Amino acid sequence: AMFIEALRATLNDTTLDPSFREVVLTLPSEAMIAEEFAVVDPQSIHTARQFVRANLAQHLKSDLLSAYEDNLTPGKYSPDAVSAAKRGLKNVALAYLLAWPDDATFMLAKTQFDEAQNMTDRLAALSGLSNFSGSAKNTKAAAQSLQKFYKDFKNEALVIDKWFMLQASAYTCDVAKVRELMKHPAFTLSNPNRARSLIFNFCNANPARFHAADGSGYALWAELVIALNKLNPQVAARLARSLDRWKKYPQNLQDHMKAALQKVAETKKLSKDVLEVVSKALAS
């Protein structure tokens, strides 16, 4: 309760800079939390963090709605520091509101997406919609927003990289979804930026899904490191480092990770960089 009230006081203190309030309201990432543990359990960390987000959203809902409304920046987009700070706080408030979803908060995000005058607000709304887990009707509408975004920006490569990145890091994304996205006409492993946007974000920014108990995330990782080794060994070596610290995880995950590392290590014609990464990991 003290924690919630402290955040409430900070959120409502308009004498504080919006960018400061945004930072205070932002929870540490799952990867950052994992650094504090000798043994990392990605599923438990994800569950605990989501529980905290949902509880904060529930108890601070009226305050978050006020913060959202008070920090709107209507009119023509302006890159000045004050406007940027307001957008940051507003979008953090929106993300929290969507952690305790209902029709009203869904429509808030949908309206922001539909009416956004800048990419910051559009992507923030789309990120919230991508993580939305409410009614079937709203989930369908969220999927339609993702498709609309692609249609609107399909000729802008850097924006489509963000589109893949956003989906890869969504809580709802899993190995099956990644494989589905890899079949998308706009995706190719031969484009380093596109590969990083989807594959790296899934492996490094979505730990609960990547570290699935059945080892499917590691099987995908091994498959992609081997494929990228032929196309771009440097990118493959960077991806290979995703399992550098495999011994910090519970034994069942370690077994799957070791098998994936061994599969890569036994692959013929590995680049020197990839072989060095996986060999050091296995020897650690």
Side-chain angles (χ1 to χ4, degrees), residues 110 113 126 129 137-151:
K110 184 71 167 59
F113 174 78
L126 192 60
L129 293 172
K137 177 184 176 182
N138 289 341
T139 301
K140 181 179 179 181
Q144 290 171 341
S145 294
L146 271 168
Q147 293 310 309
K148 183 180 187 305
F149 184 89
Y150 175 77
K151 184 178 180 181

Side-chain angles (χ1 to χ4, degrees), residues 20-145:
F20 175 79
R21 287 184 278 163
E22 175 195 355
V23 171
V24 172
L25 266 290
T26 302
L27 294 176
S29 68
E30 291 174 27
M32 188 178 295
I33 295 170
E35 292 294 327
E36 302 300 316
F37 289 87
V39 177
V40 179
D41 184 342
Q43 308 304 325
S44 295
I45 291 172
H46 175 72
T47 299
R49 187 176 183 276
Q50 290 297 90
F51 175 81
V52 171
R53 288 182 74 245
N55 269 271
L56 289 174
Q58 180 185 12
H59 288 93
L60 299 176
K61 185 170 184 178
S62 61
D63 306 278
L64 290 163
L65 281 168
S66 294
Y68 183 90
E69 293 165 359
D70 291 346
N71 287 279
L72 292 170
T73 51
K76 187 177 179 181
Y77 171 77
S78 174
D80 67 274
V82 173
S83 297
K86 285 187 172 184
R87 282 191 293 271
L89 179 56
K90 176 194 66 179
N91 287 327
V92 164
L94 179 64
Y96 269 109
L97 289 166
L98 288 169
W100 189 259
D102 57 27
D103 287 347
T105 53
F106 175 83
M107 285 309 302
L108 203 63
K110 184 71 167 59
T111 300
Q112 176 170 311
F113 174 78
D114 291 338
E115 299 179 359
Q117 299 297 309
N118 59 82
M119 190 58 71
T120 300
D121 282 348
R122 188 175 284 111
L123 281 172
L126 192 60
S127 176
L129 293 172
S130 298
N131 283 298
F132 187 79
S133 57
S135 69
K137 177 184 176 182
N138 289 341
T139 301
K140 181 179 179 181
Q144 290 171 341
S145 294

Side-chain angles (χ1 to χ4, degrees), residues 19 26 61 73 91 123 125 179 188 192 195 199 211 224 229 242 249 259 264:
S19 60
T26 302
K61 185 170 184 178
T73 51
N91 287 327
L123 281 172
R179 290 190 182 281
T188 171
I199 308 305
H211 295 285
L224 292 171
N229 178 72
S242 298
Y249 292 82
V264 175

Side-chain angles (χ1 to χ4, degrees), residues 206-221:
N206 201 344
R209 295 294 192 168
F210 174 56
H211 295 285
D214 63 0
S216 57
Y218 312 135
L220 175 66
W221 169 88

Side-chain angles (χ1 to χ4, degrees), residues 119-189:
M119 190 58 71
T120 300
D121 282 348
R122 188 175 284 111
L123 281 172
L126 192 60
S127 176
L129 293 172
S130 298
N131 283 298
F132 187 79
S133 57
S135 69
K137 177 184 176 182
N138 289 341
T139 301
K140 181 179 179 181
Q144 290 171 341
S145 294
L146 271 168
Q147 293 310 309
K148 183 180 187 305
F149 184 89
Y150 175 77
K151 184 178 180 181
D152 290 345
F153 297 101
K154 63 183 179 181
N155 296 320
E156 298 186 35
L158 294 178
V159 179
I160 296 305
D161 285 342
K162 291 183 181 296
W163 183 76
F164 278 108
M165 184 186 304
L166 184 149
Q167 292 181 83
S169 55
Y171 304 131
T172 53
C173 186
D174 57 14
V175 169
K177 180 62 177 178
V178 173
R179 290 190 182 281
E180 178 187 326
L181 287 167
M182 286 173 63
K183 295 176 183 177
H184 192 280
F187 183 80
T188 171
L189 280 177

